[in-house]
Amino acid sequence: MSEHNHEHHISTAKQLWLVGGALIFLTILTVVVSNLGLPSPLDIIAALTIAFVKAYLVASFFMGLYWDSKFNAMLLVGALVFFFLMVSVTLLDTLYRVDAVPSF
Amino acid sequence: MANHSATHPAHVQHHFVDSDQQFESAKLGMWVFLVNEILFFGGLFCAYIVFRAWYPELFTQAALELNKLWGGVNTIVLIGSSLTVAMAIRSAQKNQTKGLRINLLITIALACVFMVIKYFEYEHKLHLGIAPGSFWNPTPEILHELSDPRANIFFGIYYMMTGVHGLHVLVGIGLMIWLYIRAGKGHFNSEYYTPVEITGLYWHLVDLIWIFLFPLLYLIE
């Protein structure tokens, strides 16, 4: 019994603090980048890139997907795939309208 | 039967082979729930993307009414609480009940700080008449800054996304209090800490959602 449980990954306090520190650094970085006044698509790309790096850190090390069953990681990636599918199909409609919302 | 129960720790329900299988099943169940949560927030993010693609200038103008500083402080508060939840799980894994309770308490405190800051942000906006939907009634000075007649769309999205996220924080505070009480009764140890683990997963997801809300709502230039 106990042999099985000891297989659970236990992060060291140092690892957890490093991840927390990296997340705070990236938060400050995203604020700094937003103040640079980058031209239109670049600012969104930069903000989302930083957000996805942060999300990767949280999911991998705080939520433990890095050590976990790959099936759980697949569920998360699957959710993202279906989210992008939902957004893409919606944009296929909304981006190509003559009148965004008629009579608005 | 007697042999069977002798090898079965008290926390393992009879339909599981062993403690590990029970733990992995609980975690899988939580991940399926989190997928549902991601797609639920996904609908709101989809609305955000559609309206931002239609009215980019509106988003640039309306976002100026949000306070970057408090949004940033709240981001760091939530990251801190994610760190303490991870530390709480580590304490449970190492049989440190005291560390578990202290980390849960800090997490509850940070979550409350988040809600208090959110309350003051909402309070400030509502005071200026920047309210959702039919309550939209900005003061003349605000109307001057928000010249776009569709400004209420941005705030409809803002209140819906941050409001639903705030509800998740409140639920998280409730769960964390429940864990704190159970930890005090000695329910968790290195062999059994499933509720701490899956509540942690939930809490990290709440943090993940905010990681996207912060740049998308507060940091538009």
Side-chain angles (χ1 to χ4, degrees), chain A residues 5 8-9 11 34-35 94, chain B residues 20 54 68 90 191 193 221:
Chain A
N5 273 339
H8 290 181
H9 175 83
S11 304
S34 84
N35 282 331
T94 62
Chain B
D20 222 33
W54 275 339
K68 270 190 185 189
R90 183 181 137 78
E191 300 290 309
Y193 58 94
E221 282 281 313

Side-chain angles (χ1 to χ4, degrees), chain A residues 5-80:
Chain A
N5 273 339
H6 287 190
E7 286 171 15
H8 290 181
H9 175 83
I10 304 181
S11 304
T12 64
K14 196 182 159 195
Q15 280 174 329
L16 295 176
W17 277 97
L18 268 176
V19 174
L23 288 169
I24 289 173
F25 168 76
L26 287 168
T27 302
I28 296 167
L29 182 70
T30 194
V31 175
V32 170
V33 169
S34 84
N35 282 331
L36 290 180
L38 292 175
S40 187
L42 266 184
D43 56 348
I44 303 171
I45 293 168
L48 284 181
T49 307
I50 295 171
F52 272 105
V53 172
K54 288 168 78 178
Y56 174 82
L57 289 176
V58 172
S60 299
F61 304 111
F62 279 174
M63 298 172 103
L65 284 180
Y66 188 81
W67 301 280
D68 215 355
S69 150
K70 291 293 166 250
F71 193 81
N72 293 343
M74 190 199 77
L75 287 176
L76 175 61
V77 173
L80 293 178

